Amino acid sequence: MRILVLGSGAREHAICWKLKQSPIVTQLYCAPGNAGIAQAAELVSDLVATDAKSVIGFALRERIDLVVIGPETPLAAGVADMLDEEHVPVFGPHRNAAILEASKAFSKEFMHRHNIPTARYAVFTAPEQLEARTFLRHLNYPAVIKADGLAAGKGVIIVETEAEAIDTMDDIFSRRIFGEAGTRIVIEEFMEGEEASVFALTDGIDYDTLIPAQDHKRLLDGDRGKNTGGMGAYAPAPIVTPAILEQIRREIIEPTLRGLREENRPYKGLLYVGVMIKNGRARVVEYNVRFGDPEAQVVIPLLQGDFAEILLACATGRLKEHLPLKHFDATAVTIVMASQGYPESYETGKMIEGLDHFNQQREIEHGVAVFHAATKLDELGHIVTSGGRVLSVTAIGYADELQQTITTAYNAVHEISFDGAYYRADIGHKGIKA
Ligand code: AMP
Ligand code: GLY
C-alpha cells in the first residue's frame, strides 16, 4: 500500500511512525514533513498541502492508495472533496463537514439543530452590534467571545465584565484583530469544569472512540500563562470515566455523525470532540475535524492493530470490519519542548543534541519515541529547530503507573538539549489520582 500523509508537525510524525509499523505499507510519503518525519517517510518538500491540484497530480502519478490529511487547512480548502472526485481514497472530511471546525457559528448552530449539549450562545455580525450589546447586558460573567473563523487557536477571549465584553467586540469588529475570521462572533456562556479530548475514527456510518486524553494548552505550570498550541498531553484521562465516555458517545458523537449524514456532509476521518466535564456530564467546547496535537502523540501509540488498514477502512466505508478498536492497556505522556519565547517571537536554527538515543521506528509498547514538531537539517546535516514547538517527547508505560510514565518522559527530555529549550514541568499530573 502506498500512502501520502499531508502535514509537518509532531502529529504527522506520530501518524507516519504508526503507519510505518504496518507490514502492508510499501511506500510512505509525507508532504512537506520535517527532519524527524524523514526518518519514517520520504519527504515531498515542495508539495503544498492546501493545493488540491498538486496533491491530486502527485497522488495519481505515484499511484497513491490512501491520502491521510493531518491539519485542518487542507480540509477547509476542500482537498478531500477533490481527491474523492478523482477516486483517490482519502482520510479526512469534505469541506462542508470541515466547517464544523472552520466556523464556530456553524458548529454552534449545528449542535443546536441536533440537540447536542454545549454552552448557550448567540451569533452576531458587525451590523448587529446593538443587538449584541443588549445580549451582553443580560449575560452572566465571565463569558466567552469567539471569532467565527480559523484563528490558529487564538480566537477565543474570556471576558470578566460587560465593559470588557464591549471592548473585545470593538477589537474584533472595528479594529479587526482577527481579520476575516472575526466577521462574525459567537458569544457564549462560560462553562466551568475540566476539559478533555475525545477522538472518534469514523467512515461516516460506523465509528469507535480512541483513548480519552487531556491537553495542556497554557504555557506555564499549573495551567497559567498564555494559550499555546499545546504544551503536552497524556492518556488515558481518568476524568473521562466509562460512564462519561458512554454519555459522550450517545449524546455527542452519535448525534453529530447522524446530523452530518442528514445534512449530506460526508465525514470520513477523525472527529475530535473537546468537552468540558462537570458533575459527571460532558458538554462540547469545540469540534475539530482532525487529530489533536499534542493529543495524537499519546492516543495513536495506544491504538492496537494495523493503522494503515484502519485509516483505509475509514476512507472506504469499511470500518465496521475493524470494530471494536483495540487499545494497549498502557499509559502515554508527551512533553512538548518549545523554543524560548514561544508562543510569541523566538529564534530558530538552534542545534538539537541528544536525539540519537531514541529509535523512532520500533513498535513501542513501553519506551520512548521523540516526535518532531518543527525541525530541519542544516547545511551540515545537523538537526536544528525550525519553529515554536520543536519536539514532542513521548513515553509509553504500564497501565495504572502514570507517574512512572511521566518520569520516563522527563528523563528523555533531560537527555535532549537545544539553546533556549522550554517545557512545562507538570505534564500529566492532573491524571494522578489524589
Ligand atoms: P476553542 O477554540 O473553542 O476550543 O476554545 C479554546 C479554549 O477556550 C478551550 O480549550 C477552553 O479552554 C476555552 N473555552 C472555550 N469556550 C469556552 C466556554 N464556553 N467556557 C469555558 N471555556 C471555554
Ligand atoms: N490540542 C488542541 C488542538 O489540536 O486543537
Side-chain angles (χ1 to χ4, degrees), residues 362-394:
R362 245 179 8 202
E363 165 141 21
I364 48 163
E365 222 175 301
H366 297 96
V368 173
V370 180
F371 299 125
H372 293 216
T375 63
K376 62 174 191 187
L377 289 182
D378 70 7
E379 308 80 63
L380 299 172
H382 297 132
I383 295 182
V384 298
T385 66
S386 64
R389 290 190 297 167
V390 175
L391 301 169
S392 189
V393 180
T394 307

Side-chain angles (χ1 to χ4, degrees), residues 199-242:
F199 298 168
L201 280 173
T202 183
D203 58 11
I205 308 277
D206 293 298
Y207 82 97
D208 202 356
T209 45
L210 304 183
I211 301 282
Q214 273 187 305
D215 184 3
H216 299 62
K217 290 188 189 188
R218 302 291 205 93
L219 183 66
L220 305 175
D221 289 0
D223 293 330
R224 292 171 304 109
K226 297 196 179 81
N227 249 322
T228 71
M231 296 302 298
Y234 77 97
I239 176 84
V240 186
T241 60

Side-chain angles (χ1 to χ4, degrees), residues 104 108 119 144 146 153 156 158 188-192 195 217 227 276 285-286:
K104 291 189 190 297
K108 296 298 286 193
V144 186
K146 302 182 173 184
V156 175
I158 294 172
E188 69 178 40
E189 163 200 18
F190 180 83
M191 293 186 281
E192 309 267 351
E195 284 186 81
K217 290 188 189 188
N227 249 322
M276 190 71 80
V285 178
E286 63 167 339

Side-chain angles (χ1 to χ4, degrees), residues 60-377:
L60 295 178
R61 205 163 50 244
E62 293 294 329
R63 304 184 319 282
I64 296 297
D65 301 300
L66 174 67
V67 177
V68 179
I69 302 182
E72 61 278 14
T73 38
L75 297 166
V79 172
D81 307 46
M82 294 181 64
L83 283 163
D84 256 343
E85 278 168 27
E86 299 293 330
H87 307 290
V88 178
V90 55
F91 179 87
H94 279 203
R95 186 199 336 228
N96 71 354
I99 192 171
L100 271 187
E101 174 169 356
S103 167
K104 291 189 190 297
F106 174 87
S107 84
K108 296 298 286 193
E109 283 158 2
F110 178 90
M111 285 186 262
H112 185 71
R113 282 200 288 285
H114 298 286
N115 212 4
I116 294 164
T118 186
R120 288 192 305 125
Y121 74 101
V123 177
F124 298 98
T125 57
E128 297 165 337
Q129 286 185 56
L130 272 182
E131 292 93 320
R133 282 188 186 228
T134 310
F135 185 80
L136 291 175
R137 200 163 312 134
H138 299 290
L139 205 59
N140 294 325
Y141 290 89
V144 186
I145 300 186
K146 302 182 173 184
D148 175 47
L150 291 176
K154 300 195 180 87
V156 175
I157 296 173
I158 294 172
V159 290
E160 302 292 337
T161 62
E162 184 186 337
E164 213 185 302
I166 291 171
D167 284 347
T168 300
M169 203 164 70
D170 286 344
D171 283 342
I172 299 176
F173 284 145
S174 307
R175 287 185 277 286
R176 298 182 62 79
I177 54 169
F178 298 125
E180 276 299 299
T183 309
R184 283 197 291 179
I185 57 170
V186 173
I187 303 178
E188 69 178 40
E189 163 200 18
F190 180 83
M191 293 186 281
E192 309 267 351
E194 202 174 331
E195 284 186 81
S197 306
V198 176
F199 298 168
L201 280 173
T202 183
D203 58 11
I205 308 277
D206 293 298
Y207 82 97
D208 202 356
T209 45
L210 304 183
I211 301 282
Q214 273 187 305
D215 184 3
H216 299 62
K217 290 188 189 188
R218 302 291 205 93
L219 183 66
L220 305 175
D221 289 0
D223 293 330
R224 292 171 304 109
K226 297 196 179 81
N227 249 322
T228 71
M231 296 302 298
Y234 77 97
I239 176 84
V240 186
T241 60
I244 292 175
L245 184 59
E246 192 56 26
Q247 181 239 328
I248 292 170
R249 292 173 66 108
R250 300 286 164 254
E251 295 182 16
I252 299 173
I253 295 171
E254 288 168 20
T256 300
L257 296 177
R258 203 181 310 126
L260 288 165
R261 278 198 302 277
E262 283 168 13
E263 297 183 12
N264 204 8
R265 302 176 185 276
Y267 207 106
K268 303 171 296 177
L270 187 123
L271 178 70
Y272 168 137
V273 190
V275 293
M276 190 71 80
I277 298 169
K278 192 176 174 222
N279 297 334
R281 266 183 64 81
R283 292 196 284 167
V284 178
V285 178
E286 63 167 339
Y287 289 113
N288 292 316
V289 296
R290 35 78 191 172
F291 281 103
D293 185 339
E295 296 96 318
Q297 292 91 291
V298 290
V299 170
I300 289 174
L302 295 180
L303 179 64
Q304 265 186 320
D306 189 312
F307 199 44
E309 278 187 17
I310 292 170
L311 298 191
L312 181 66
C314 289
T316 53
R318 293 183 296 100
L319 184 60
K320 200 175 195 157
E321 297 164 21
H322 298 270
L323 300 185
L325 297 175
K326 292 189 200 62
H327 292 91
F328 293 112
D329 190 18
T331 48
V333 175
T334 193
I335 296 157
V336 170
M337 297 181 76
S339 302
Q340 189 67 50
Y342 172 80
E344 313 268 277
S345 60
Y346 49 80
E347 292 175 10
T348 59
K350 309 289 184 194
M351 204 196 295
I352 308 173
E353 313 266 14
L355 288 172
D356 300 344
H357 305 280
F358 304 105
N359 181 344
Q360 314 286 326
Q361 316 302 351
R362 245 179 8 202
E363 165 141 21
I364 48 163
E365 222 175 301
H366 297 96
V368 173
V370 180
F371 299 125
H372 293 216
T375 63
K376 62 174 191 187
L377 289 182

